[in-house]
């Protein structure tokens, strides 16, 4: 597990390290500068014309320290003070002095041009306002200039908490982040400005981040093996759960098929599909392993019997928004006593009938909206949600006491009392019809095997992304189909198991 703090949370960790671990701020600054310069030299970048643009805060102090170390390596270095010299921190003033003692000269303005390396150390994680005026002009001139562009900790202009770029931001090829990658560099559009992100350990104590439930985190592949449900040698299908998938409508048999296939691929012991009669032949042909239970009209008694049978329920994929579908959803939401995943049309119906949200019988629900569906449920514009996605996500899950998987290019998961999760696996090849149906099935399959809703959602989203990465390696960025994602889940699990 890796933490993804924002600027405020990282500053708290820095302060703790300085105060309790007795490591002076100047020492941390030197470590950061050395780690940055080590990256520059390891990658063999051209040092013939280096420009380091610095602010007056500690990010600027890092920049002047970097400029000095590069100067000592024989680089031709121009250092620019882009901030207000009267507002320099004590550490930055000290680094300016050391740079000058090493023979460096500080310029007062940035000159647009061609550089071998252009290093941004203007704001970093310390940005707390819109970039305007001379700062904006400087950053835009830096973006127009030539050379390899490197950012110190965070590209100037990127919000560390949301990834938002209010006006403009430095467009880096590589960002060297200290101790932790910052949240804003992982979220869009910030990650496009950060480029490749390399994390350098400089000795900041981050143990306190675990106790701060506002700090986001991500999984690494080594975490997954420990999370996977076990499979005993003396087990049988009943040990791995009975999943009921209420999905599909006329012309939408594929949604039911993809969800059920993914649940099986993920390890569910028994999958039963509840779907309109028109889908029976298709589903029995495509997935003979599944039980297919069909309906022509709304049959409350039959539905209640199926809910009683299940260990986990998934509802909504391709369900449609007819009155029949609405009654099926309402009955399910009000009577289900096991974990329940609500996807796609289940969420669209919820948006039209928000009173159902207040009738949920327990907290073991997983909602899986994409941004458009989340917008319809919350009545907030997509753009507003994107600007503060984690804040909106945690507010929504806190109000309704559920787990919510907010799907986007960077999917985020929230639940009251848990660290927000940000998924770093997956790619644009997954942007295809049916991908969400597969995800709903993967999460359902994991919960069927005994995982709780939040952990099942986190692992499901991460595995889904790994499957997308595997499928892209086989099919390329354009040709991946949703059923190939479901199959790739099996391949990924095999690799992790071995």
């Amino acid at each position: 597990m890796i933490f993804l703090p924002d600027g405020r949370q990282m500053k708290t960790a820095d302060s703790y390290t300085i105060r309790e671990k007795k490591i002076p701020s100047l020492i941390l600054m030197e470590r950061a500068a050395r780690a940055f310069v080590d990256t520059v030299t390891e990658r063999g970048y051209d040092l013939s014309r280096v420009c380091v643009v610095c602010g007056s805060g500690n990010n600027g102090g890092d920049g002047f320290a970097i400029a000095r170390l590069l100067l000592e390596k024989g680089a031709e270095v121009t250092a620019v003070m882009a901030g207000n010299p009267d507002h320099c921190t004590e550490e930055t003033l000290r680094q300016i002095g050391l740079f000058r003692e090493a023979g460096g000269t500080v310029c007062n303005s940035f000159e647009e041009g061609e550089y071998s390396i252009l290093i941004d150390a203007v704001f970093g994680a310390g940005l707390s306002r819109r970039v305007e005026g001379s700062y904006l002009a400087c950053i835009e001139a830096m973006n127009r200039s030539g050379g390899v562009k490197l950012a110190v900790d965070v590209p100037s202009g990127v919000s560390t908490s949301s990834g938002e770029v209010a006006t403009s931001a430095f467009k880096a090829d590589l960002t060297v982040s200290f101790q932790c990658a910052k949240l804003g560099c992982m979220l869009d559009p910030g990650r496009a400005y950060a480029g490749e992100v390399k994390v350098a350990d400089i000795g900041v104590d981050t143990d306190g981040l675990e106790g701060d439930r506002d700090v986001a985190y991500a999984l690494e592949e080594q975490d997954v093996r420990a999370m996977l449900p076990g499979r005993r040698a003396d087990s049988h299908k009943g040990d791995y759960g009975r999943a009921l998938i209420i999905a599909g409508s006329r012309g939408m048999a594929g949604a039911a098929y993809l969800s059920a296939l993914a649940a099986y691929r993920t390890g569910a012991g028994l999958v039963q599909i509840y779907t309109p009669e028109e889908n029976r032949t298709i589903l029995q042909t495509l997935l003979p392993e599944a039980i297919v239970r069909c309906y022509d009209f709304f049959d409350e008694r039959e539905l209640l019997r199926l809910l009683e049978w299940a260990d986990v329920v998934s509802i909504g994929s391709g369900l449609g928004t007819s009155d029949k579908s609405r009654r099926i959803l309402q009955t399910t939401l009000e009577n289900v006593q096991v974990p329940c995943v609500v996807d796609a049309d289940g969420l669209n119906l919820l948006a039209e009938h928000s009173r159902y949200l207040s009738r949920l019988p327990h907290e073991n629900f997983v909602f899986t909206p994409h941004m458009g569906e989340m917008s319809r449920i919350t009545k907030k514009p997509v753009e507003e949600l994107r600007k503060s996605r984690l804040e909106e996500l945690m507010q929504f899950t806190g109000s309704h006491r559920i787990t919510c998987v907010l799907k986007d290019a960077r999917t985020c998961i929230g639940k009251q009392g848990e660290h927000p999760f940000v998924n770093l696996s997956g790619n644009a090849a997954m942007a295809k019809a049916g991908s969400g149906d597969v995800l709903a099935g993967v999460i359902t399959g994991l919960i069927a095997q005994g995982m709780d809703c939040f952990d099942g959602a986190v692992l499901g989203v991460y595995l889904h992304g790994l499957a997308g990465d595997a499928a892209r390696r086989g099919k390329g960025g354009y040709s991946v189909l949703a059923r190939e994602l479901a199959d790739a889940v099996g391949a990924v699990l095999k690799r992790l198991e071995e």
Side-chain angles (χ1 to χ4, degrees), residues 3-252:
F3 287 113
L4 303 172
D6 61 20
R8 178 192 61 79
Q9 293 157 349
M10 197 68 226
K11 185 176 180 180
T12 299
D14 289 342
S15 298
Y16 176 83
T17 302
I18 294 165
R19 184 180 66 255
E20 300 297 331
K21 300 299 181 179
K22 309 301 181 186
I23 302 176
S25 177
L26 202 63
I27 296 298
L28 292 177
M29 191 172 281
E30 284 291 318
R31 290 178 181 177
R34 289 189 184 282
F36 191 97
V37 171
D38 285 347
T39 300
V40 170
T41 54
E42 286 165 5
R43 298 195 175 208
Y45 290 137
D46 179 5
L47 302 181
S48 62
R49 192 180 181 204
V50 179
C51 182
V52 188
V53 186
C54 307
S56 55
N58 278 357
N59 192 248
D62 293 338
F64 282 111
I66 290 165
R68 168 172 49 83
L69 294 175
L70 288 173
L71 194 66
E72 291 172 353
K73 286 185 175 291
E76 180 187 323
V77 180
T78 300
V80 177
M81 168 51 80
N84 186 337
D86 296 332
H87 294 165
C88 284
T89 64
E90 181 181 342
E91 293 85 355
T92 299
L93 286 173
R94 176 61 176 153
Q95 292 294 356
I96 291 172
L98 290 171
F99 175 66
R100 284 176 169 151
E101 288 174 15
T105 302
V106 180
C107 302
N108 293 323
S109 61
F110 172 73
E111 291 188 9
E112 185 177 333
E114 293 295 321
Y115 299 93
S116 61
I117 304 174
L118 181 54
I119 299 172
D120 162 37
V122 180
F123 291 119
L127 181 68
S128 59
R129 54 192 170 88
R130 288 168 61 89
V131 178
E132 296 176 323
S134 61
Y135 289 112
L136 178 59
C138 178
I139 288 172
E140 290 179 338
M142 291 165 69
N143 284 338
R144 290 192 299 267
S145 295
V148 177
K149 294 185 173 69
L150 309 179
V152 179
D153 204 28
V154 177
S156 294
V158 172
S159 165
T160 61
S161 59
S162 68
E164 182 188 3
V165 175
T167 51
S168 186
F170 183 72
K171 191 74 165 60
D173 299 303
L174 170 69
T175 297
V176 180
S177 287
F178 305 129
Q179 207 61 46
C180 298
K182 307 309 179 291
L183 177 61
C185 292
M186 299 294 106
L187 300 175
D188 295 308
R191 69 164 165 158
Y193 286 86
E196 178 190 351
V197 177
K198 178 182 177 181
V199 177
D201 186 343
I202 62 170
V204 174
D205 191 319
T206 58
D207 289 348
L209 297 179
E210 187 168 354
D212 183 352
R213 291 292 169 172
D214 291 334
V215 179
Y217 79 100
L219 288 182
E220 297 178 288
E221 196 163 302
Q222 59 262 34
D223 301 318
V224 175
R225 294 178 180 87
M227 295 178 70
L228 287 173
R231 297 187 76 88
R232 302 189 318 276
D234 63 343
S235 59
H236 56 81
K237 66 188 178 195
D239 293 325
Y240 303 115
R242 298 185 298 267
L244 173 63
I245 293 181
I246 304 172
S249 55
R250 183 187 294 271
M252 296 294 287

Side-chain angles (χ1 to χ4, degrees), residues 412-458:
C412 301
I413 304 176
K415 182 184 179 182
Q416 189 176 49
E418 300 284 353
H419 288 280
F421 172 77
V422 177
N423 187 52
L424 304 184
S425 64
N427 59 80
M430 302 168 69
K432 289 283 182 71
S435 180
D437 304 323
V438 172
L439 176 59
V442 171
I443 295 171
T444 301
L446 291 170
I447 295 173
Q449 296 170 78
M451 295 194 74
D452 69 33
C453 286
F454 183 76
D455 287 344
V458 167

Side-chain angles (χ1 to χ4, degrees), residues 324-346:
K324 185 192 302 180
S325 299
R326 178 196 64 77
R327 295 174 72 187
I328 290 172
L329 177 72
Q330 180 182 5
T331 300
T332 299
L333 295 184
E334 292 179 356
N335 292 279
V336 65
Q337 296 302 312
V338 295
C340 183
V341 178
V342 185
D343 184 45
D345 284 331

Side-chain angles (χ1 to χ4, degrees), residues 294-346:
C294 297
Y295 59 86
D296 287 312
F297 55 89
F298 174 65
D299 185 341
E300 183 176 26
R301 182 178 296 179
E302 172 73 352
L303 179 55
L304 291 174
R305 187 186 67 78
L306 291 172
L307 294 176
E308 182 67 25
W309 170 87
D311 295 314
V312 60
V313 174
S314 175
I315 184 168
S317 299
L319 186 66
T321 55
S322 66
D323 188 62
K324 185 192 302 180
S325 299
R326 178 196 64 77
R327 295 174 72 187
I328 290 172
L329 177 72
Q330 180 182 5
T331 300
T332 299
L333 295 184
E334 292 179 356
N335 292 279
V336 65
Q337 296 302 312
V338 295
C340 183
V341 178
V342 185
D343 184 45
D345 284 331

Side-chain angles (χ1 to χ4, degrees), residues 239-485:
D239 293 325
Y240 303 115
R242 298 185 298 267
L244 173 63
I245 293 181
I246 304 172
S249 55
R250 183 187 294 271
M252 296 294 287
Y257 162 67
L258 291 168
S259 290
L261 174 64
Y264 264 138
R265 290 288 189 208
T266 310
L270 190 60
V271 177
Q272 184 165 194
I273 304 170
Y274 190 50
T275 193
E277 182 63 43
E278 296 93 332
N279 296 334
R280 181 189 295 276
T281 302
I282 297 171
L283 291 172
Q284 287 182 330
T285 302
L286 289 174
L287 194 62
E289 296 88 347
I291 302 168
V292 181
R293 189 77 63 188
C294 297
Y295 59 86
D296 287 312
F297 55 89
F298 174 65
D299 185 341
E300 183 176 26
R301 182 178 296 179
E302 172 73 352
L303 179 55
L304 291 174
R305 187 186 67 78
L306 291 172
L307 294 176
E308 182 67 25
W309 170 87
D311 295 314
V312 60
V313 174
S314 175
I315 184 168
S317 299
L319 186 66
T321 55
S322 66
D323 188 62
K324 185 192 302 180
S325 299
R326 178 196 64 77
R327 295 174 72 187
I328 290 172
L329 177 72
Q330 180 182 5
T331 300
T332 299
L333 295 184
E334 292 179 356
N335 292 279
V336 65
Q337 296 302 312
V338 295
C340 183
V341 178
V342 185
D343 184 45
D345 284 331
L347 298 165
N348 290 326
L349 285 166
L350 266 177
E352 295 177 13
H353 306 278
S354 56
R355 64 186 183 278
Y356 297 165
L357 277 170
S358 63
R359 301 177 185 175
L360 301 180
H362 52 73
E363 299 177 8
N364 293 321
F365 281 85
V366 180
F367 288 5
T368 59
H370 56 57
M371 280 290 181
E373 290 160 347
M374 189 69 164
S375 174
R376 290 190 281 276
I377 293 170
T378 61
K379 316 302 182 191
K380 295 181 179 181
V382 169
E383 193 57 36
E384 182 179 335
L385 294 175
R386 285 208 168 109
K387 285 182 179 178
S388 53
R389 69 189 70 202
L390 286 188
E391 183 181 341
E392 295 287 349
L393 177 63
M394 299 312 291
Q395 182 180 352
F396 179 74
T397 57
S399 297
H400 301 292
R401 305 182 69 81
I402 60 166
T403 297
C404 184
V405 176
L406 182 54
K407 297 183 294 192
D408 203 14
R410 281 287 194 240
T411 293
C412 301
I413 304 176
K415 182 184 179 182
Q416 189 176 49
E418 300 284 353
H419 288 280
F421 172 77
V422 177
N423 187 52
L424 304 184
S425 64
N427 59 80
M430 302 168 69
K432 289 283 182 71
S435 180
D437 304 323
V438 172
L439 176 59
V442 171
I443 295 171
T444 301
L446 291 170
I447 295 173
Q449 296 170 78
M451 295 194 74
D452 69 33
C453 286
F454 183 76
D455 287 344
V458 167
L459 181 57
V461 167
Y462 187 69
L463 287 175
H464 185 249
L466 289 182
D469 293 335
R472 181 177 180 175
R473 286 192 291 271
K475 296 290 184 179
Y478 294 87
S479 301
V480 173
L481 299 177
R483 64 173 176 267
E484 292 161 346
L485 286 179

